[in-house]
């Protein structure tokens, strides 16, 4: 998907509600610093101070829109950042610019970090010639999932299911609770009906075959070593060629190429949202000609 067009996926009312909640978290009561800054019309430059991928413009815009400030962007969503780069300018009352500063920077830095990690993962996978899907997981920060899932998309990865309603995922604990793989999958198929796919987490070829026989659309081979993974996936595909195979567990940017193979359709990495380092941005007020900050 085109990074610029991805903003269309974000409902304006949801963006406004998120921005409002983040601002209220940071300033639920009196803002004493506003007395210092005053309300004179002001402008500030947004600088990118670390390399990576720019992601999160819609959230940045939504935050400052809540404060009656206007953002002018100089780089499109998904741009490669080469520090120090002037990314945008924000105009509005001084106290409003400063009220939104940290919230907006936090959001942009975190979203850009996720996008940068996702882009690195996709590049590593494509370097092997593999054409499957690199995906995130549901291991996201509470209250910040939309930002992180969006960041995955900007980075070229798949977001995977957004929430519990996006796919019926039968995990190991579901199998235990249901009394076995077959019972669990049958129950999942009833719940899913025609509208949703069913994916089953499996720890062996035997479980994977049981899941496929019971009607699973996807099989998640979890925490397999690469050599075991590819042999298991090949054996499963030989019997059930239409069942998709996802690999997950223990996958990092360093070992990702080892998990790429002809029988693997999806590789998911929790670290894309759990461990992606945030990018470094700063917002500096200026009188006339803004100067780049020190890197």
């Amino acid at each position: 998907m085109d990074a610029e067009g991805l903003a269309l996926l974000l409902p304006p009312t949801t963006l406004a509600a998120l921005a409002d909640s983040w601002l209220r978290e940071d300033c639920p009561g009196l803002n004493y610093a506003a007395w210092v800054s005053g309300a004179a019309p002001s402008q500030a430059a947004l600088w990118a101070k670390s390399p990576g991928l720019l992601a999160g413009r819609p959230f940045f815009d939504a935050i400052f829109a809540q404060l009656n400030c206007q953002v002018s962007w100089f780089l499109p969503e998904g741009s490669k950042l080469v520090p120090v780069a002037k990314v945008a300018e924000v105009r509005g009352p001084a106290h409003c610019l400063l009220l939104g500063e940290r919230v907006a920077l936090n959001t942009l830095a975190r979203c850009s970090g996720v996008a940068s990690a996702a882009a690195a993962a996709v590049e590593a996978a494509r370097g092997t010639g593999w054409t499957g899907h690199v995906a995130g997981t549901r291991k996201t920060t509470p209250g910040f999932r939309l930002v992180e899932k969006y960041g995955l998309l900007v980075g070229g990865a798949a977001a995977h299911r957004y929430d519990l309603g996006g796919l019926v995922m039968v995990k190991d604990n579901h199998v235990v609770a249901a009394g076995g793989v077959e019972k669990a999958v049958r129950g999942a198929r009833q719940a899913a009906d025609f509208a949703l796919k069913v994916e089953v987490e499996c720890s062996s070829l035997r479980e994977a075959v049981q899941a496929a026989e019971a009607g699973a659309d996807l099989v998640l081979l979890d925490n397999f070593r690469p050599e075991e993974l590819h042999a298991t996936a090949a054996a499963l595909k030989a019997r059930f060629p239409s069942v998709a195979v996802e690999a997950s567990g223990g996958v990092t940017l360093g070992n990702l190429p080892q998990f790429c193979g002809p029988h693997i359709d999806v590789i998911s990495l929790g670290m894309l949202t759990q461990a992606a380092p945030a990018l470094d941005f700063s917002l500096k007020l200026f009188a006339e000609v803004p100067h780049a900050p020190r890197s």
Side-chain angles (χ1 to χ4, degrees):
M1 286 191 241
D2 174 59
E4 282 287 279
L6 288 173
L8 296 173
L9 302 179
L10 303 171
T13 52
T14 301
L15 282 174
L18 283 172
D20 182 68
S21 69
W22 295 330
L23 289 165
R24 288 177 184 272
E25 178 187 48
D26 202 40
C27 188
L30 299 173
N31 180 14
Y32 294 104
W35 184 267
V36 179
S37 60
S42 303
Q43 52 277 325
L46 173 66
W47 299 95
K49 299 164 64 180
S50 57
L53 216 62
L54 175 64
R57 282 183 27 165
F59 303 100
F60 193 93
D61 287 341
I63 289 164
F64 280 111
Q66 290 286 315
L67 301 170
N68 296 314
C69 297
Q70 295 76 45
V71 183
S72 299
W73 292 94
F74 303 132
L75 294 176
E77 192 80 308
S79 296
K80 289 186 177 180
L81 298 171
V82 180
V84 172
K86 186 179 179 184
V87 179
E89 286 183 0
V90 189
R91 286 178 166 75
H95 70 299
C96 291
L97 290 176
L98 298 179
L99 180 58
E101 175 189 7
R102 177 43 53 197
V103 176
L105 290 177
N106 285 350
T107 307
L108 192 68
R110 179 66 180 153
C111 191
S112 296
V114 170
S116 300
V122 171
E123 183 179 7
R126 296 293 175 260
T128 69
W130 184 69
T131 58
H133 302 278
V134 174
T137 69
R138 207 161 47 86
K139 296 176 181 177
T140 55
T141 307
F144 211 61
R145 179 171 294 178
L146 185 62
V147 178
E148 292 171 349
K149 290 287 192 179
Y150 173 83
L152 290 171
L153 295 176
V154 174
H160 214 301
R161 58 174 179 165
Y162 183 78
D163 54 31
L164 291 173
L167 171 78
V168 184
M169 174 78 82
V170 178
K171 306 280 282 183
D172 54 353
N173 283 328
H174 295 102
V175 172
V176 172
V181 173
E182 293 181 18
K183 288 183 179 179
V185 177
R186 282 201 302 269
R189 283 254 64 102
Q190 284 184 317
D193 202 1
F194 70 91
L196 296 173
K197 290 185 177 181
V198 173
E199 182 169 14
V200 184
E201 178 183 284
C202 300
S203 59
S204 67
L205 176 59
R206 178 174 174 274
E207 287 185 353
V209 169
Q210 287 179 333
E213 288 178 336
D217 300 294
L218 302 92
V219 166
L220 171 62
L221 299 180
D222 193 34
N223 290 311
F224 279 66
R225 293 195 299 272
E227 59 273 17
E228 295 176 330
L229 169 72
H230 297 302
T232 301
L236 181 66
K237 288 276 193 175
R239 291 185 59 182
F240 305 95
S242 63
V243 172
V245 174
E246 176 179 349
S248 190
V251 187
T252 66
L253 291 180
N255 65 17
L256 173 59
Q258 299 175 41
F259 290 83
C260 299
H263 305 293
I264 307 300
D265 301 289
V266 182
I267 301 175
S268 54
L269 301 85
M271 58 79 57
L272 296 181
T273 49
Q274 281 192 320
L279 267 58
D280 187 12
F281 292 91
S282 65
L283 192 67
K284 298 295 183 182
L285 266 67
F286 64 91
E288 293 180 359
V289 180
H291 298 284
R294 296 176 181 176
S295 58

